[in-house]
Amino acid sequence: DGVNRLGDMIAAARVIVPFTGAGISTEAGIPDFRSPGGLWTRNRPIHFEEFVASQDARDEAWRRRFAMQETFAAARPGRGHRALASLYRAGKIPAVITQNIDNLHQESGFAADHVIELHGNTTYARCIGCGQRYELGWVQERFAADGAAPDCPACAEPVKTATVSFGQAMPENEMQRATELAQHCDLFIAIGSSLVVWPAAGFPLMARQAGARLVIINREPTDQDDVADLVVHQDIGEVLGPFVRN
Ligand code: OAD
Ligand code: ZN
């Protein structure tokens, strides 16, 4: 079946590049975006232009973030994360490309430099003007004291989670590194992504076109299933659990 074929493909591959989406973190208790109960079924996204233009939008964005804080703080890597970390330690995976912002690949054992975060990271904040980093505790204190989302003390521009919102530019260095990884692997595995958000969703096709075999592991069908060499419509923890070593 699919899981056996995946095992054969992983054993035969020299360079495996995983590409992950929110589905790898649902086992850790973090909701995804588009499944029933997902974040975008409850709230519409706040676009970057709104965040820049409106104090109300910034206040709402930070209220939503703080409402999720216990969930993010309690989350631990699941079987999918741990399986990828095992293959990384075994030298089969040079780096993981992720759309996730939850820091769980780092927590599972990937060096920070080997986690290519296409959509940033929500466990800290940055000024959107000067790029200065701020910790969430600082933002929360300022929000409580002022009753409003804070601006950067250095340059007076808004402070935002270090994530990429709709309408915000993709990080250039990460796009470049993801491109190189996609073009220089022999097995590319898309895991837990609906593959509808671009340009991120372009990497599986890019890898396929550069000659890699493409595997998609996702509970729901995706638009790219028909170009994949193997599609596994099962739970990620069950599919990748057998690859956990430690
Ligand atoms: P989505 O919510 O769009 O897709 C997650 C996919 O994972 C769904 O197709 C689920 O069926 C599947 N899934 C969830 N749990 C699973 C499990 N345990 N086993 C197998 N499959 C499972 O999330 P992403 O594709 O990551 O970007 O979303 C892409 C981007 O859209 C995000 O990075 C975010 C969002 O808007 C920005 O905000 C810019
Ligand atoms: Zn600043």
Side-chain angles (χ1 to χ4, degrees):
D1 67 337
V3 179
N4 286 332
R5 277 192 65 201
L6 176 64
D8 292 343
M9 289 168 88
I10 287 175
R14 281 184 311 110
V15 181
I16 303 171
V17 170
F19 170 87
T20 61
I24 198 173
S25 294
T26 55
E27 183 175 279
I30 300 172
D32 67 9
F33 296 94
R34 294 174 182 82
S35 291
L39 285 181
W40 298 157
T41 70
R42 291 186 263 160
N43 286 311
R44 64 170 189 83
I46 297 170
H47 286 238
F48 186 63
E49 308 87 88
E50 296 175 69
F51 186 93
V52 172
S54 154
Q55 182 71 48
D56 282 348
R58 294 195 286 280
D59 293 352
E60 171 65 12
W62 277 110
R63 272 193 293 270
R64 286 185 194 176
R65 177 62 187 84
F66 295 137
M68 291 286 295
Q69 179 52 23
E70 283 186 35
T71 298
F72 279 117
R76 294 291 168 267
R79 287 172 291 176
H81 296 102
R82 292 166 54 213
L84 298 182
S86 299
L87 292 166
Y88 168 70
R89 280 193 300 272
K92 286 234 176 201
I93 290 177
V96 55
I97 306 172
T98 189
Q99 300 167 89
N100 298 343
I101 58 178
D102 55 29
N103 214 51
L104 289 179
H105 288 300
Q106 291 92 327
E107 285 179 38
S108 75
F110 275 83
D113 191 43
H114 295 155
V115 183
I116 314 303
E117 294 177 318
L118 297 175
H119 293 163
N121 189 305
T122 195
T123 65
Y124 58 95
R126 282 196 193 282
C127 168
I128 64 172
C130 70
Q132 173 68 46
R133 175 176 169 143
Y134 294 96
E135 302 311 317
L136 298 191
W138 177 86
V139 177
Q140 201 154 18
E141 280 171 27
R142 289 292 314 270
F143 200 124
D146 302 346
D151 294 330
C152 175
C155 78
E157 293 292 322
V159 173
K160 183 180 165 294
T161 54
T163 53
V164 178
S165 299
F166 287 113
Q168 191 170 9
M170 294 294 286
E172 273 174 41
N173 183 49
E174 280 76 1
M175 288 297 287
Q176 186 56 43
R177 289 187 64 201
T179 298
E180 279 159 20
L181 285 161
Q183 291 178 339
H184 295 98
C185 60
D186 44 36
L187 179 59
F188 190 97
I189 312 180
I191 303 164
S193 177
S194 59
L195 302 178
V196 297
V197 174
W198 293 72
F203 288 108
L205 289 170
M206 186 186 290
R208 186 80 191 73
Q209 278 160 8
R213 301 234 267 167
L214 174 61
V215 175
I216 295 176
I217 306 172
N218 204 61
R219 205 146 51 196
E220 300 292 320
T222 78
D223 288 349
Q224 300 187 26
D225 285 3
D226 55 347
V227 301
D229 297 284
L230 175 65
V231 178
V232 185
H233 288 156
Q234 290 178 51
D235 178 73
I236 292 160
E238 299 200 343
V239 173
L240 292 181
F243 298 95
V244 174
R245 298 273 178 281
N246 52 13

